[in-house]
PDB file of all heavy atoms in Angstrom:
ATOM      1  N   MET A  60     -32.156  60.396 -45.393  1.00  0.00           N
ATOM      2  CA  MET A  60     -31.631  60.893 -46.661  1.00  0.00           C
ATOM      3  C   MET A  60     -30.311  60.185 -46.948  1.00  0.00           C
ATOM      4  O   MET A  60     -29.466  60.058 -46.058  1.00  0.00           O
ATOM      5  CB  MET A  60     -31.400  62.402 -46.599  1.00  0.00           C
ATOM      6  CG  MET A  60     -30.922  62.983 -47.927  1.00  0.00           C
ATOM      7  SD  MET A  60     -30.693  64.775 -47.849  1.00  0.00           S
ATOM      8  CE  MET A  60     -28.907  64.859 -47.783  1.00  0.00           C
ATOM      9  N   ASP A 143     -21.681  70.047 -50.331  1.00  0.00           N
ATOM     10  CA  ASP A 143     -21.946  69.998 -48.890  1.00  0.00           C
ATOM     11  C   ASP A 143     -23.131  70.887 -48.506  1.00  0.00           C
ATOM     12  O   ASP A 143     -24.035  70.462 -47.794  1.00  0.00           O
ATOM     13  CB  ASP A 143     -20.700  70.403 -48.100  1.00  0.00           C
ATOM     14  CG  ASP A 143     -19.484  69.586 -48.500  1.00  0.00           C
ATOM     15  OD1 ASP A 143     -19.605  68.352 -48.547  1.00  0.00           O
ATOM     16  OD2 ASP A 143     -18.439  70.193 -48.787  1.00  0.00           O
ATOM     17  N   GLY A 144     -23.127  72.107 -48.985  1.00  0.00           N
ATOM     18  CA  GLY A 144     -24.226  73.025 -48.711  1.00  0.00           C
ATOM     19  C   GLY A 144     -25.530  72.559 -49.334  1.00  0.00           C
ATOM     20  O   GLY A 144     -26.597  72.660 -48.717  1.00  0.00           O
ATOM     21  N   LEU A 146     -26.440  69.474 -49.978  1.00  0.00           N
ATOM     22  CA  LEU A 146     -26.969  68.322 -49.253  1.00  0.00           C
ATOM     23  C   LEU A 146     -27.579  68.716 -47.913  1.00  0.00           C
ATOM     24  O   LEU A 146     -28.649  68.228 -47.533  1.00  0.00           O
ATOM     25  CB  LEU A 146     -25.882  67.263 -49.056  1.00  0.00           C
ATOM     26  CG  LEU A 146     -25.415  66.566 -50.324  1.00  0.00           C
ATOM     27  CD1 LEU A 146     -24.222  65.667 -50.030  1.00  0.00           C
ATOM     28  CD2 LEU A 146     -26.544  65.771 -50.966  1.00  0.00           C
ATOM     29  N   ALA A 147     -26.924  69.618 -47.185  1.00  0.00           N
ATOM     30  CA  ALA A 147     -27.460  70.075 -45.903  1.00  0.00           C
ATOM     31  C   ALA A 147     -28.795  70.788 -46.110  1.00  0.00           C
ATOM     32  O   ALA A 147     -29.759  70.562 -45.364  1.00  0.00           O
ATOM     33  CB  ALA A 147     -26.462  70.993 -45.207  1.00  0.00           C
ATOM     34  N   LYS A 148     -28.874  71.606 -47.142  1.00  0.00           N
ATOM     35  CA  LYS A 148     -30.114  72.321 -47.455  1.00  0.00           C
ATOM     36  C   LYS A 148     -31.213  71.332 -47.868  1.00  0.00           C
ATOM     37  O   LYS A 148     -32.362  71.464 -47.443  1.00  0.00           O
ATOM     38  CB  LYS A 148     -29.857  73.326 -48.574  1.00  0.00           C
ATOM     39  CG  LYS A 148     -31.047  74.175 -48.936  1.00  0.00           C
ATOM     40  CD  LYS A 148     -30.697  75.177 -50.022  1.00  0.00           C
ATOM     41  CE  LYS A 148     -31.931  75.954 -50.454  1.00  0.00           C
ATOM     42  NZ  LYS A 148     -31.652  76.812 -51.603  1.00  0.00           N
ATOM     43  N   ALA A 149     -30.867  70.339 -48.677  1.00  0.00           N
ATOM     44  CA  ALA A 149     -31.847  69.346 -49.121  1.00  0.00           C
ATOM     45  C   ALA A 149     -32.414  68.574 -47.933  1.00  0.00           C
ATOM     46  O   ALA A 149     -33.616  68.304 -47.878  1.00  0.00           O
ATOM     47  CB  ALA A 149     -31.214  68.386 -50.124  1.00  0.00           C
ATOM     48  N   ALA A 150     -31.566  68.225 -46.972  1.00  0.00           N
ATOM     49  CA  ALA A 150     -32.027  67.493 -45.785  1.00  0.00           C
ATOM     50  C   ALA A 150     -33.089  68.284 -45.042  1.00  0.00           C
ATOM     51  O   ALA A 150     -34.098  67.737 -44.596  1.00  0.00           O
ATOM     52  CB  ALA A 150     -30.858  67.169 -44.871  1.00  0.00           C
ATOM     53  N   GLU A 151     -32.870  69.580 -44.913  1.00  0.00           N
ATOM     54  CA  GLU A 151     -33.847  70.449 -44.244  1.00  0.00           C
ATOM     55  C   GLU A 151     -35.133  70.549 -45.056  1.00  0.00           C
ATOM     56  O   GLU A 151     -36.234  70.457 -44.509  1.00  0.00           O
ATOM     57  CB  GLU A 151     -33.265  71.836 -44.016  1.00  0.00           C
ATOM     58  CG  GLU A 151     -32.203  71.880 -42.931  1.00  0.00           C
ATOM     59  CD  GLU A 151     -31.673  73.284 -42.715  1.00  0.00           C
ATOM     60  OE1 GLU A 151     -32.510  74.202 -42.560  1.00  0.00           O
ATOM     61  OE2 GLU A 151     -30.443  73.438 -42.713  1.00  0.00           O
ATOM     62  N   ALA A 155     -35.718  65.438 -43.545  1.00  0.00           N
ATOM     63  CA  ALA A 155     -34.971  64.250 -43.105  1.00  0.00           C
ATOM     64  C   ALA A 155     -34.529  64.432 -41.653  1.00  0.00           C
ATOM     65  O   ALA A 155     -34.211  65.537 -41.231  1.00  0.00           O
ATOM     66  CB  ALA A 155     -33.756  64.022 -43.992  1.00  0.00           C
ATOM     67  N   ASP A 156     -34.533  63.326 -40.900  1.00  0.00           N
ATOM     68  CA  ASP A 156     -34.016  63.398 -39.535  1.00  0.00           C
ATOM     69  C   ASP A 156     -32.742  62.576 -39.370  1.00  0.00           C
ATOM     70  O   ASP A 156     -32.175  62.507 -38.295  1.00  0.00           O
ATOM     71  CB  ASP A 156     -35.072  63.010 -38.496  1.00  0.00           C
ATOM     72  CG  ASP A 156     -35.756  61.695 -38.787  1.00  0.00           C
ATOM     73  OD1 ASP A 156     -35.316  60.960 -39.687  1.00  0.00           O
ATOM     74  OD2 ASP A 156     -36.745  61.395 -38.103  1.00  0.00           O
ATOM     75  N   LEU A 157     -32.282  61.969 -40.461  1.00  0.00           N
ATOM     76  CA  LEU A 157     -31.005  61.249 -40.472  1.00  0.00           C
ATOM     77  C   LEU A 157     -30.443  61.267 -41.881  1.00  0.00           C
ATOM     78  O   LEU A 157     -31.164  61.039 -42.851  1.00  0.00           O
ATOM     79  CB  LEU A 157     -31.190  59.789 -40.018  1.00  0.00           C
ATOM     80  CG  LEU A 157     -29.942  58.900 -40.072  1.00  0.00           C
ATOM     81  CD1 LEU A 157     -28.888  59.376 -39.068  1.00  0.00           C
ATOM     82  CD2 LEU A 157     -30.306  57.447 -39.799  1.00  0.00           C
ATOM     83  N   ILE A 158     -29.139  61.538 -41.974  1.00  0.00           N
ATOM     84  CA  ILE A 158     -28.418  61.427 -43.245  1.00  0.00           C
ATOM     85  C   ILE A 158     -27.425  60.295 -43.077  1.00  0.00           C
ATOM     86  O   ILE A 158     -26.662  60.277 -42.111  1.00  0.00           O
ATOM     87  CB  ILE A 158     -27.658  62.731 -43.581  1.00  0.00           C
ATOM     88  CG1 ILE A 158     -28.615  63.917 -43.671  1.00  0.00           C
ATOM     89  CG2 ILE A 158     -26.872  62.565 -44.885  1.00  0.00           C
ATOM     90  CD1 ILE A 158     -27.916  65.272 -43.780  1.00  0.00           C
ATOM     91  N   VAL A 159     -27.441  59.348 -43.998  1.00  0.00           N
ATOM     92  CA  VAL A 159     -26.459  58.265 -43.994  1.00  0.00           C
ATOM     93  C   VAL A 159     -25.577  58.474 -45.217  1.00  0.00           C
ATOM     94  O   VAL A 159     -26.050  58.412 -46.347  1.00  0.00           O
ATOM     95  CB  VAL A 159     -27.127  56.869 -44.028  1.00  0.00           C
ATOM     96  CG1 VAL A 159     -26.053  55.781 -44.049  1.00  0.00           C
ATOM     97  CG2 VAL A 159     -28.060  56.683 -42.842  1.00  0.00           C
ATOM     98  N   VAL A 160     -24.300  58.751 -44.962  1.00  0.00           N
ATOM     99  CA  VAL A 160     -23.380  59.113 -46.035  1.00  0.00           C
ATOM    100  C   VAL A 160     -22.114  58.265 -45.951  1.00  0.00           C
ATOM    101  O   VAL A 160     -21.633  57.964 -44.868  1.00  0.00           O
ATOM    102  CB  VAL A 160     -23.051  60.630 -45.982  1.00  0.00           C
ATOM    103  CG1 VAL A 160     -22.373  61.009 -44.689  1.00  0.00           C
ATOM    104  CG2 VAL A 160     -22.226  61.071 -47.178  1.00  0.00           C
ATOM    105  N   HIS A 175     -16.067  65.523 -47.678  1.00  0.00           N
ATOM    106  CA  HIS A 175     -17.447  65.969 -47.858  1.00  0.00           C
ATOM    107  C   HIS A 175     -18.337  65.436 -46.739  1.00  0.00           C
ATOM    108  O   HIS A 175     -19.175  66.165 -46.209  1.00  0.00           O
ATOM    109  CB  HIS A 175     -17.982  65.542 -49.220  1.00  0.00           C
ATOM    110  CG  HIS A 175     -17.343  66.274 -50.356  1.00  0.00           C
ATOM    111  ND1 HIS A 175     -17.465  67.634 -50.534  1.00  0.00           N
ATOM    112  CD2 HIS A 175     -16.564  65.832 -51.368  1.00  0.00           C
ATOM    113  CE1 HIS A 175     -16.791  68.004 -51.609  1.00  0.00           C
ATOM    114  NE2 HIS A 175     -16.232  66.922 -52.130  1.00  0.00           N
ATOM    115  N   ALA A 176     -18.156  64.195 -46.360  1.00  0.00           N
ATOM    116  CA  ALA A 176     -18.964  63.617 -45.273  1.00  0.00           C
ATOM    117  C   ALA A 176     -18.685  64.330 -43.954  1.00  0.00           C
ATOM    118  O   ALA A 176     -19.601  64.616 -43.181  1.00  0.00           O
ATOM    119  CB  ALA A 176     -18.685  62.120 -45.136  1.00  0.00           C
ATOM    120  N   GLY A 177     -17.418  64.636 -43.707  1.00  0.00           N
ATOM    121  CA  GLY A 177     -17.051  65.348 -42.488  1.00  0.00           C
ATOM    122  C   GLY A 177     -17.647  66.740 -42.442  1.00  0.00           C
ATOM    123  O   GLY A 177     -18.157  67.191 -41.417  1.00  0.00           O
ATOM    124  N   LYS A 178     -17.609  67.418 -43.564  1.00  0.00           N
ATOM    125  CA  LYS A 178     -18.173  68.766 -43.631  1.00  0.00           C
ATOM    126  C   LYS A 178     -19.690  68.719 -43.448  1.00  0.00           C
ATOM    127  O   LYS A 178     -20.266  69.557 -42.750  1.00  0.00           O
ATOM    128  CB  LYS A 178     -17.813  69.410 -44.967  1.00  0.00           C
ATOM    129  CG  LYS A 178     -17.946  70.897 -44.970  1.00  0.00           C
ATOM    130  CD  LYS A 178     -17.237  71.484 -46.169  1.00  0.00           C
ATOM    131  CE  LYS A 178     -16.937  72.931 -45.892  1.00  0.00           C
ATOM    132  NZ  LYS A 178     -16.131  73.524 -46.924  1.00  0.00           N
ATOM    133  N   LEU A 179     -20.332  67.725 -44.040  1.00  0.00           N
ATOM    134  CA  LEU A 179     -21.772  67.564 -43.888  1.00  0.00           C
ATOM    135  C   LEU A 179     -22.123  67.308 -42.423  1.00  0.00           C
ATOM    136  O   LEU A 179     -23.069  67.889 -41.889  1.00  0.00           O
ATOM    137  CB  LEU A 179     -22.268  66.412 -44.774  1.00  0.00           C
ATOM    138  CG  LEU A 179     -23.763  66.180 -44.830  1.00  0.00           C
ATOM    139  CD1 LEU A 179     -24.504  67.413 -45.334  1.00  0.00           C
ATOM    140  CD2 LEU A 179     -24.056  64.987 -45.739  1.00  0.00           C
ATOM    141  N   ALA A 180     -21.344  66.465 -41.765  1.00  0.00           N
ATOM    142  CA  ALA A 180     -21.582  66.175 -40.348  1.00  0.00           C
ATOM    143  C   ALA A 180     -21.398  67.427 -39.489  1.00  0.00           C
ATOM    144  O   ALA A 180     -22.128  67.635 -38.526  1.00  0.00           O
ATOM    145  CB  ALA A 180     -20.654  65.061 -39.877  1.00  0.00           C
ATOM    146  N   GLN A 181     -20.440  68.267 -39.839  1.00  0.00           N
ATOM    147  CA  GLN A 181     -20.182  69.493 -39.074  1.00  0.00           C
ATOM    148  C   GLN A 181     -21.273  70.540 -39.245  1.00  0.00           C
ATOM    149  O   GLN A 181     -21.591  71.264 -38.317  1.00  0.00           O
ATOM    150  CB  GLN A 181     -18.852  70.120 -39.498  1.00  0.00           C
ATOM    151  CG  GLN A 181     -17.643  69.388 -39.032  1.00  0.00           C
ATOM    152  CD  GLN A 181     -16.364  70.036 -39.563  1.00  0.00           C
ATOM    153  OE1 GLN A 181     -16.360  70.688 -40.608  1.00  0.00           O
ATOM    154  NE2 GLN A 181     -15.275  69.854 -38.837  1.00  0.00           N
ATOM    155  N   HIS A 182     -21.849  70.618 -40.441  1.00  0.00           N
ATOM    156  CA  HIS A 182     -22.729  71.738 -40.747  1.00  0.00           C
ATOM    157  C   HIS A 182     -24.211  71.395 -40.866  1.00  0.00           C
ATOM    158  O   HIS A 182     -25.036  72.304 -40.964  1.00  0.00           O
ATOM    159  CB  HIS A 182     -22.264  72.428 -42.035  1.00  0.00           C
ATOM    160  CG  HIS A 182     -20.886  72.993 -41.919  1.00  0.00           C
ATOM    161  ND1 HIS A 182     -20.614  74.134 -41.196  1.00  0.00           N
ATOM    162  CD2 HIS A 182     -19.697  72.553 -42.396  1.00  0.00           C
ATOM    163  CE1 HIS A 182     -19.321  74.382 -41.244  1.00  0.00           C
ATOM    164  NE2 HIS A 182     -18.737  73.441 -41.966  1.00  0.00           N
ATOM    165  N   SER A 183     -24.560  70.144 -40.829  1.00  0.00           N
ATOM    166  CA  SER A 183     -25.963  69.759 -40.966  1.00  0.00           C
ATOM    167  C   SER A 183     -26.704  69.945 -39.646  1.00  0.00           C
ATOM    168  O   SER A 183     -26.147  69.764 -38.569  1.00  0.00           O
ATOM    169  CB  SER A 183     -26.059  68.297 -41.409  1.00  0.00           C
ATOM    170  OG  SER A 183     -27.414  67.935 -41.522  1.00  0.00           O
ATOM    171  N   LYS A 184     -27.966  70.283 -39.730  1.00  0.00           N
ATOM    172  CA  LYS A 184     -28.794  70.456 -38.543  1.00  0.00           C
ATOM    173  C   LYS A 184     -29.457  69.145 -38.112  1.00  0.00           C
ATOM    174  O   LYS A 184     -30.139  69.113 -37.106  1.00  0.00           O
ATOM    175  CB  LYS A 184     -29.855  71.521 -38.800  1.00  0.00           C
ATOM    176  CG  LYS A 184     -29.261  72.909 -38.991  1.00  0.00           C
ATOM    177  CD  LYS A 184     -30.324  73.944 -39.226  1.00  0.00           C
ATOM    178  CE  LYS A 184     -29.658  75.296 -39.431  1.00  0.00           C
ATOM    179  NZ  LYS A 184     -30.630  76.342 -39.731  1.00  0.00           N
ATOM    180  N   VAL A 185     -29.270  68.075 -38.907  1.00  0.00           N
ATOM    181  CA  VAL A 185     -29.839  66.766 -38.548  1.00  0.00           C
ATOM    182  C   VAL A 185     -28.705  65.783 -38.272  1.00  0.00           C
ATOM    183  O   VAL A 185     -27.548  66.034 -38.592  1.00  0.00           O
ATOM    184  CB  VAL A 185     -30.776  66.223 -39.665  1.00  0.00           C
ATOM    185  CG1 VAL A 185     -31.895  67.202 -39.956  1.00  0.00           C
ATOM    186  CG2 VAL A 185     -30.011  65.917 -40.930  1.00  0.00           C
ATOM    187  N   SER A 186     -29.043  64.643 -37.689  1.00  0.00           N
ATOM    188  CA  SER A 186     -28.041  63.615 -37.373  1.00  0.00           C
ATOM    189  C   SER A 186     -27.417  63.080 -38.661  1.00  0.00           C
ATOM    190  O   SER A 186     -28.109  62.907 -39.663  1.00  0.00           O
ATOM    191  CB  SER A 186     -28.686  62.464 -36.626  1.00  0.00           C
ATOM    192  OG  SER A 186     -29.162  62.900 -35.379  1.00  0.00           O
ATOM    193  N   VAL A 187     -26.111  62.833 -38.620  1.00  0.00           N
ATOM    194  CA  VAL A 187     -25.386  62.298 -39.771  1.00  0.00           C
ATOM    195  C   VAL A 187     -24.660  61.035 -39.334  1.00  0.00           C
ATOM    196  O   VAL A 187     -23.898  61.050 -38.373  1.00  0.00           O
ATOM    197  CB  VAL A 187     -24.371  63.320 -40.330  1.00  0.00           C
ATOM    198  CG1 VAL A 187     -23.613  62.731 -41.508  1.00  0.00           C
ATOM    199  CG2 VAL A 187     -25.078  64.613 -40.730  1.00  0.00           C
ATOM    200  N   PHE A 188     -24.918  59.934 -40.026  1.00  0.00           N
ATOM    201  CA  PHE A 188     -24.278  58.655 -39.780  1.00  0.00           C
ATOM    202  C   PHE A 188     -23.274  58.472 -40.911  1.00  0.00           C
ATOM    203  O   PHE A 188     -23.648  58.316 -42.065  1.00  0.00           O
ATOM    204  CB  PHE A 188     -25.334  57.555 -39.811  1.00  0.00           C
ATOM    205  CG  PHE A 188     -24.852  56.183 -39.423  1.00  0.00           C
ATOM    206  CD1 PHE A 188     -25.542  55.460 -38.463  1.00  0.00           C
ATOM    207  CD2 PHE A 188     -23.762  55.586 -40.029  1.00  0.00           C
ATOM    208  CE1 PHE A 188     -25.144  54.185 -38.118  1.00  0.00           C
ATOM    209  CE2 PHE A 188     -23.349  54.319 -39.682  1.00  0.00           C
ATOM    210  CZ  PHE A 188     -24.043  53.615 -38.707  1.00  0.00           C
TER     211      PHE A 188
END
Side-chain angles (χ1 to χ4, degrees):
M60 183 179 105
D143 307 311
L146 292 173
K148 183 178 176 187
E151 288 181 50
D156 51 10
L157 176 66
I158 301 171
V159 179
V160 62
H175 290 296
K178 199 165 201 174
L179 185 59
Q181 287 177 334
H182 298 286
S183 179
K184 294 181 181 177
V185 303
S186 295
V187 179
F188 186 129

